[in-house]
Amino acid sequence: MTTWILNGLTVNPESGETEKKHLRIENGAVAEWTDGAVLPDTAGAQVIDAAGKLVSAGLIDMHVHLREPGFEHKETIATGTQSAAKGGFTTIACMPNTRPVIDTPDTVKLVLDKAAAEGAVRVLPYAAITKNELGRELTDFAALKEAGAIGFTDDGVGVQNAQMMKNAMALAHSLGMPVIAHCEDDSLVEGAAVTDGAFARKHGLKGIPNESEAIHVGRDILLSEATGVHYHVCHVSTEQSIRLIRLGKSIGVNVTSEVCPHHLLLSDEDIPDSMDANWKMNPPLRAPRDVEACIRALEEGTIDIIVTDHAPHSEEEKARGMERAPFGIVGFETAFPLLYTKFVKTGRWTLDFLLRRMTSDPARVFGLPTGKLTPGAPADIVLIDLEREREVTPETFLTKGRNTPFAGWKLFGWPALTMVGGKVVWTEENGIN
């Protein structure tokens, strides 16, 4: 089957300017780009007119929570992947802190089968480092890899025992697999809901200190150096962690890292006095100096990629208040517009830079065949309307979650069409296909 995407805008990485081109897709793969000044022969082909819209490789999100199995009241693989498609994401990697935990080949297979049957986009499952994410016994890494897991993580909790983490890293390295770490020392965070900063002091709350994250980052960089494993740091949020990652990279440790939009856009000083739990996430919003450190680290390459940490919860759960509500916010449907409006429209970043951090860079870090639109690559594509301004309206989300601090924000850069493997899976006009 032939599909032509006509009159789309692409970014010239050398000039940073957009250029009009046509894209031909054959049998689910990119075939060729042609001169936008000359209309091709489209007889017998499916035609999509992308006039005025950016044509990009589909976005990649290597840190998401689909909640299924076990927490289907928060999200399902079907609703989560539909939300991802609406946000322009075509490949997502889901965390294993479900119930049951994704810690056996059967649960990996369950996720993959559900995604194949009901998912709108590509789903790559992580498996747990330890059984039930309890930190006591390693899972069967070899069997989990064979079942289709793409890496190992106990996301949601940090691996507290250093010897357990070292053993996990050594085993993962022997299998050519990465270890993805939620970095948090439990002894420093128990009972706290926000960062140890201005908001916590103002409201008399126990705070989560920066060092609770950085202690594990430093420990694990040393363990990665000792074992040789590819070590990836989840949702970096502190200046201290960044210093340690920068040092690890400088001495040749195979360490990569990620950052979320909310840690690039918001600080604890932005949290409203209403104690709205839609501002509660883990890691928490940090001080303004940490926000700027995260931005600079992403710009210089110390932080490699952007992820959403999409974490839906029910409205009832979030209504429990700042101290009792669960951590987490949704991210699929707002990530690109937030970053485009904040950083590209203002001139701090180029469009090419933002796209690379959300497409080709995650593909490079995790060895994926997606994230590019060169001939032969999968036709995973998003069309984005860069000029249309819209308001963030949680009631229109496809995710089950409404938990976002960005409600009411007016943003540019909204996806208009998402394609996976040459098949249109979502359009602004018609929704999920």
Side-chain angles (χ1 to χ4, degrees):
M1 177 180 174
T2 300
T3 300
W4 278 98
I5 298 178
L6 302 180
N7 306 311
L9 301 175
T10 64
V11 181
N12 184 318
E14 294 182 4
S15 68
E17 300 296 319
T18 55
E19 303 171 342
K20 187 171 81 167
K21 290 190 176 182
H22 310 304
L23 175 61
R24 181 169 62 89
I25 298 163
E26 292 286 352
N27 300 319
V30 174
E32 64 172 336
W33 292 91
T34 66
D35 185 349
V38 180
L39 279 175
D41 179 5
T42 60
Q46 177 187 28
V47 176
I48 297 169
D49 187 2
K53 296 181 177 63
L54 177 74
V55 180
S56 168
L59 307 180
I60 298 172
D61 191 346
M62 296 304 297
H63 188 142
V64 317
H65 298 269
L66 296 181
R67 303 302 190 198
E68 189 175 9
F71 298 112
E72 288 82 0
H73 68 287
K74 301 174 189 277
E75 192 79 288
T76 64
I77 289 170
T79 60
T81 57
Q82 289 168 13
S83 176
K86 185 178 178 182
F89 292 93
T90 54
T91 297
I92 59 176
C94 60
M95 290 297 170
N97 55 338
T98 52
R99 289 295 178 273
V101 171
I102 303 173
D103 61 0
T104 67
D106 285 346
T107 47
V108 172
K109 186 175 184 300
L110 183 151
V111 170
L112 289 171
D113 288 348
K114 276 268 188 178
E118 303 174 12
V121 303
R122 302 182 194 273
V123 175
L124 308 175
Y126 293 113
I129 292 172
T130 64
K131 293 182 178 181
N132 290 313
E133 291 196 331
L134 295 175
R136 298 171 185 164
E137 183 180 358
L138 292 181
T139 56
D140 187 339
F141 282 20
L144 291 164
K145 176 184 178 180
E146 179 67 23
I150 63 159
F152 304 105
T153 180
D154 273 6
D155 185 61
V157 292
V159 176
Q160 301 302 304
N161 184 285
Q163 185 63 59
M164 182 70 68
M165 187 56 130
K166 185 175 183 180
N167 292 346
M169 287 183 169
L171 181 55
H173 180 56
S174 74
L175 295 168
M177 297 283 276
V179 166
I180 296 88
H182 175 114
C183 293
E184 187 173 38
D185 187 308
D186 287 352
S187 66
L188 293 170
V189 303
E190 186 176 356
V194 295
T195 200
D196 185 11
F199 185 85
R201 290 190 294 271
K202 181 178 180 180
H203 293 277
L205 300 174
K206 181 178 179 180
I208 300 172
N210 281 19
E211 56 268 25
S212 65
E213 174 181 291
I215 283 171
H216 271 205
V217 173
R219 178 200 73 177
D220 291 349
I221 286 172
L222 291 172
L223 297 178
S224 175
E225 182 182 29
T227 61
V229 76
H230 172 199
Y231 167 60
H232 183 79
V233 187
C234 288
H235 40 49
V236 174
S237 69
T238 74
E239 186 273 335
Q240 292 92 329
S241 296
I242 289 163
R243 276 192 274 125
L244 293 165
I245 295 165
R246 185 181 295 117
L247 175 61
K249 284 178 177 279
S250 74
I251 61 174
V253 178
N254 188 9
V255 54
T256 58
S257 60
E258 64 189 37
V259 68
C260 305
H262 43 277
H263 291 127
L264 299 170
L265 294 164
L266 302 171
S267 77
D268 68 323
E269 295 182 3
D270 297 311
I271 303 172
D273 289 335
S274 65
M275 307 280 277
D276 180 356
N278 287 325
W279 293 72
K280 180 180 181 180
M281 64 282 290
N282 191 10
L285 298 176
R286 303 289 188 178
R289 69 177 182 277
D290 296 301
V291 175
E292 182 60 25
C294 285
I295 296 169
R296 291 184 180 276
L298 184 70
E299 291 169 345
E300 72 185 21
T302 298
I303 294 176
D304 300 86
I305 65 174
I306 296 167
V307 302
T308 68
D309 194 7
H310 174 81
H313 294 289
S314 70
E315 293 183 71
E316 293 76 16
E317 289 168 315
K318 277 296 189 179
R320 295 172 187 164
M322 185 66 79
E323 293 186 85
R324 296 181 57 241
F327 292 97
I329 65 172
V330 293
F332 284 143
E333 297 174 51
T334 56
F336 187 87
L338 283 167
L339 297 170
Y340 177 77
T341 303
K342 170 68 175 181
F343 295 106
V344 179
K345 288 283 282 186
T346 60
R348 177 154 186 173
W349 295 350
T350 66
L351 178 56
D352 179 63
F353 173 83
L354 174 58
L355 290 171
R356 283 190 285 110
R357 289 292 189 264
M358 299 183 78
T359 58
S360 59
D361 287 340
R364 169 185 53 80
V365 167
F366 287 94
L368 307 178
T370 53
K372 56 191 176 183
L373 292 181
T374 53
D380 291 4
I381 296 169
V382 58
L383 306 189
I384 301 173
D385 189 338
L386 298 177
E387 298 306 319
R388 182 180 177 188
E389 184 181 38
R390 273 178 41 205
E391 186 174 300
V392 176
T393 309
E395 293 76 22
T396 66
F397 288 170
L398 294 186
T399 172
K400 288 188 176 184
R402 301 290 181 263
N403 46 311
T404 177
F406 299 112
W409 284 39
K410 293 183 178 179
L411 305 173
F412 294 87
W414 294 92
L417 178 148
T418 304
M419 174 182 287
V420 177
K423 176 188 175 185
V424 175
V425 296
W426 174 84
T427 65
E428 186 176 21
E429 294 77 15
N430 301 318
I432 291 292
N433 286 5

